[in-house]
Amino acid sequence: MNKTELVEKIAAGAGLSKADAKKALDATVAAIKDALVKGDKVSLIGFGTFSVNERPAREGINPATKQKIKIAAKKVAKFKAGAELADAL
């Protein structure tokens, strides 16, 4: 499912126009993104939790040249499915 299909499902499920559903989806995604950038967790009971995970710097190997390379530390977005979602799958 892509964003357009998701907007259509939201519009049909909530009785909104596609334009209003797109605005609602965009606002939701922006709010989740802003919270993650601040380092906060976003918990949606029954669906799951979005959080930030820090990966430490490490040493890797370039598969083409077999040379050792340094991989920088970075932060990544993490999603853990809630109990209801996990059971539904």
Side-chain angles (χ1 to χ4, degrees):
M1 177 181 290
N2 61 30
K3 185 176 179 180
T4 304
E5 294 167 341
L6 182 57
V7 166
E8 289 173 5
K9 289 271 192 185
I10 293 170
L16 300 171
S17 69
K18 287 183 185 177
D20 288 341
K22 184 180 183 309
K23 288 178 189 175
L25 178 60
D26 289 342
T28 302
V29 170
I32 292 171
K33 179 182 172 185
D34 290 344
L36 292 177
V37 167
K38 291 178 185 175
D40 295 336
K41 264 201 281 192
V42 178
S43 297
L44 303 172
I45 304 301
F47 182 69
T49 302
F50 295 92
S51 61
V52 177
N53 196 17
E54 293 189 27
R55 292 190 180 163
R58 60 190 170 93
E59 196 172 89
I61 297 176
N62 181 339
T65 63
K66 307 295 185 211
Q67 288 182 326
K68 291 185 178 183
I69 57 173
K70 290 184 180 181
I71 301 170
K74 66 178 181 177
K75 294 181 181 180
V76 294
K78 179 180 168 184
F79 176 76
K80 182 177 181 203
E84 287 179 32
L85 178 59
D87 290 344
L89 298 177

